[in-house]
Each structure stands twice: as C-alpha cells, then as structure tokens.
Amino acid sequence: MNNIAILCSGGDVSGMNPALKHFVEYSLQKDLTPYFVYDGYEGLIDNNIKKATYKDVAGIINRGGTKIGSARSQRFMQKEYREIAKKNLNMLNIDMLIVLGGDGSFRGLDIFYKESGIKFCGIPSTIDNDISSTEYCLGVDSALNIIKTSIDSIRDTASSFSRAFVIETMGRDCGFLALVSALTSGAELCLVPEKEYDLKSLEESFKEQIKNGRRYFIAVVAEGIKDESQDIANWFEEKIGIESRVSVLGHIQRGGNPTIYDRLMAYRFINNAIDALLEGKEESIICYTKDGFKYKGIDEVVNTPFVLDPKLLRFLKNI
Ligand code: F6P
C-alpha cells in the first residue's frame, strides 16, 4: 500500500474537518494508507505525523477549525528545516502530500517539491478567497454565512436605535468577503481595497436619505481598506449626523459549523486531489472554475496576481 499524508497550513477554515474525514475514507477506498501531519509544516519538521484511522475522524464533520491543527511556520522557510521534513516523510515512506492552505502555504510547498521530489496536491483553503486561478476556496461559504447572520443581527439593533453600523470583515488585502456580504445583506455602503472611494461625494445623498426617513445605515468595510473602521464611524457622526458604532467581526468569521456547500466542496476537492496524485500529477493545485475542477501547476497559481472578479466589483456602483 502507498502512503499519503495531509496537513493544514495558515488560517484554518470551516470545511477542513469534513475534508480530513473524507481524506481518510477515500484514501482507504483507494488502498492508500492515510497519515495526518499535525500543526502544518511545523509537524513535518517535528515528525508529528501519525497514521489516521476512521476513529480519528468520527464526529468531526460538523466542527469548524481543524482537528489536526494548523500553523504558519517560519522554520519551513529555511532549507535546513525543509531537509528535516523531507527525511521525516521518507522515513515513513510517504511520497504524496495534500496541503489545505492559502497561497503563502503553496509557495512553501513549491520550494519543498523542487528540493524533495515529494509529490503534492494543494487544495485552496482560505476564507479570504484570494487565490488566483480558482473561483472558490474551501471555507468561504461558511465565513459568508457567519457574516450574514452577524449583519442580520446588527441590523435589528441598528434600526431600533437609529444608528450607523460599520461592520468590518476579514480578508486581508482582498475585499471579497466584504463585497459579497454587502451585496447580499442590503448594505448602504461597502468599502473594499480594490476600489478607490471618496466619502465626501456621498455626504449629500446620505443626509438626504435621513431627511427622507432613513433611520439607520449599514456599512460593510474590508479590513484591508486605507482607513480604520473607526474613521468611517467618525465620518458618519461628524458629516452625516448619525450616531455610529463599529463592529469588528474578527475571528468568529473563521469558525463555526461548516455549511452544506463547504462540506460538499471538501468532499469534491479531496476526491480530485487524491485522483490527481494517483494519476501521476506531481505538483498541482485543484482549482474550481466555471468549467468545474481543473488541475493547475503551482507556478501558475502562486505567480499570477489575484484579481477580484470585475463583474462582482461592478455591482458596487449600485450600493
Ligand atoms: O487569511 C485568513 C485570515 O483570517 C485573514 O482574513 C486575516 O487577515 C488573518 O487570517 C488573521 O490572521 P490571524 O489568525 O493570524 O490573526
């Protein structure tokens, strides 16, 4: 039997646990021996690699986070530690590796493959949805649903008190979470790093809306914009004349019960990843595109800058 390992790297997402469960099931179905690497690349270096069984994945499909831990490893950026990682995998006869992570994790993997020859397949997993070449990253739907529930709750209190709420979403330098959340929650304002904005140009219209009976505003802003969320709240108070509050959603966006969509995507990503390795693909990332799943070379994925879908960005004009 061949040995195959999986690890989670970078920010965890809801959907990693369903992926781990299906990894064990599908590996065994394909006569492979599955291994878990605990705590990302750190576990590769520290030889924290253990055989995985059905028992390890019982009762995790509904849990956010990742049962095997994740990490952002500084040591893996150094060649001496990557050599230790290679030795540890060689000792266990593991020559296939699946990595759930974002583009930072894939960059490390690319170098590791070139040095070690360990075959790998990457599964894009980040709530930021900021990996080029794939339209979907595991965990995004769960994060969007958490944001949706939070904004719906905030709207209740915003309307009761006549206030403006500035709701800050995660996403690093990418405005995807903020944009989709604003569009699907009926926000009055959305600010993302990908689009220049001029608050002054909105002042007349917002003041007019209050005169015409508007009681509250919902503004969804991405954490990566040039201003602090508090600055936007101050603008509402000082220029629009409405009491304001800031709500930073923070890490609640990364946890919670994985949605049906993420459970299904976890299943499909894993199937594709294991199939790719068994078909002899040595260094691919499974990308989800409008034509379905595609295997893309890691060089293409990590070297193509991410661009937020212009068609989606165009909707901003309507807010
Ligand atoms: O990349 C995922 C992410 O949640 C970003 O949206 C956010 O900026 C960052 O990770 C937070 O990192 P940490 O969990 O280290 O605070």
Side-chain angles (χ1 to χ4, degrees):
M1 287 227 301
N2 287 344
N3 297 339
I4 184 168
I6 192 167
L7 64 82
C8 302
S9 173
D12 52 281
V13 304
S14 284
M16 282 177 166
N17 275 330
L20 296 176
K21 178 174 164 59
H22 191 54
F23 164 75
V24 171
E25 292 164 351
Y26 195 55
S27 298
L28 293 171
Q29 200 180 316
K30 292 283 177 180
D31 284 331
L32 300 168
T33 305
Y35 282 80
F36 284 157
V37 181
Y38 290 82
D39 299 329
Y41 295 129
E42 290 287 295
L44 278 187
I45 297 165
D46 296 333
N47 205 13
N48 200 353
I49 309 169
K50 298 191 177 79
K51 224 177 248 182
T53 64
Y54 286 120
K55 210 169 144 215
D56 293 311
V57 293
I60 67 168
I61 200 163
N62 55 334
R63 282 170 39 199
T66 159
K67 187 176 179 184
I68 62 174
S70 187
R72 294 193 177 104
S73 174
Q74 292 301 319
R75 289 190 298 166
F76 199 67
M77 289 155 100
Q78 296 170 44
K79 188 162 189 209
E80 60 185 291
Y81 288 108
R82 290 195 297 272
E83 274 167 6
I84 299 173
K86 173 181 185 256
K87 270 192 209 128
N88 289 337
L89 287 171
N90 287 345
M91 239 157 34
L92 293 166
N93 286 323
I94 296 170
D95 64 351
M96 290 183 275
L97 179 65
I98 294 178
V99 170
L100 304 175
D103 61 353
S105 311
F106 294 159
R107 268 177 239 282
L109 193 54
D110 191 20
I111 302 169
F112 186 55
Y113 167 74
K114 283 170 186 148
E115 290 169 358
S116 69
I118 307 272
K119 289 175 260 177
F120 71 85
C121 190
I123 296 181
S125 310
T126 167
I127 64 164
D128 303 342
N129 212 24
D130 63 349
I131 300 181
S132 73
S133 319
T134 187
E135 286 185 18
Y136 191 77
C137 299
L138 191 63
V140 171
D141 190 59
S142 300
L144 284 172
N145 275 284
I146 296 270
I147 299 170
K148 178 205 71 173
T149 308
S150 309
I151 298 179
D152 288 351
S153 301
I154 287 172
R155 181 183 296 283
D156 294 342
T157 172
S159 60
S160 310
F161 256 88
S162 286
R163 281 174 171 166
F165 265 85
V166 179
I167 300 162
E168 181 183 303
T169 63
M170 276 190 169
R172 227 178 264 281
D173 301 322
C174 175
F176 181 86
L177 289 178
L179 177 54
V180 173
S181 301
L183 293 173
T184 53
S185 300
E188 283 70 42
L189 178 65
C190 174
L191 303 176
V192 295
E194 290 83 354
K195 187 108 184 150
E196 282 288 311
Y197 57 85
D198 170 23
L199 293 178
K200 194 151 184 40
S201 68
L202 300 170
E203 286 174 11
E204 276 316 302
S205 138
F206 277 29
K207 281 196 277 199
E208 191 63 25
Q209 289 182 47
I210 293 182
K211 260 195 229 143
N212 292 337
R214 170 172 287 290
R215 285 175 53 82
Y216 67 93
F217 289 94
I218 298 286
V220 181
V221 306
E223 65 175 350
I225 61 168
K226 62 180 195 287
D227 292 307
E228 296 294 321
S229 296
Q230 189 57 53
D231 298 333
I232 310 298
N234 294 345
W235 173 77
F236 270 111
E237 298 227 340
E238 289 158 19
K239 304 290 180 190
I240 310 299
I242 183 166
E243 193 182 12
S244 311
R245 291 289 186 273
V246 172
S247 200
V248 178
L249 299 184
H251 288 81
I252 62 161
Q253 294 160 95
R254 282 232 303 256
N257 183 269
T259 58
I260 291 292
Y261 189 72
D262 271 326
R263 295 182 197 197
L264 189 60
M265 286 303 274
Y267 195 96
R268 299 173 79 194
F269 270 125
I270 287 290
N271 268 17
N272 278 281
I274 293 178
D275 288 347
L277 289 164
L278 291 177
E279 283 162 17
K281 294 190 176 63
E282 299 208 341
E283 39 98 31
S284 55
I285 307 290
I286 307 290
C287 295
Y288 187 66
T289 71
K290 57 181 180 327
D291 303 319
F293 288 94
K294 293 261 180 281
Y295 303 113
K296 302 217 175 151
I298 190 158
D299 283 338
E300 179 187 343
V301 175
V302 298
N303 294 320
T304 310
F306 171 79
V307 180
L308 188 55
D309 182 358
K311 284 195 219 100
L312 208 50
L313 209 49
R314 233 175 279 144
F315 288 129
L316 256 189
K317 283 200 193 122
N318 304 334
I319 296 183

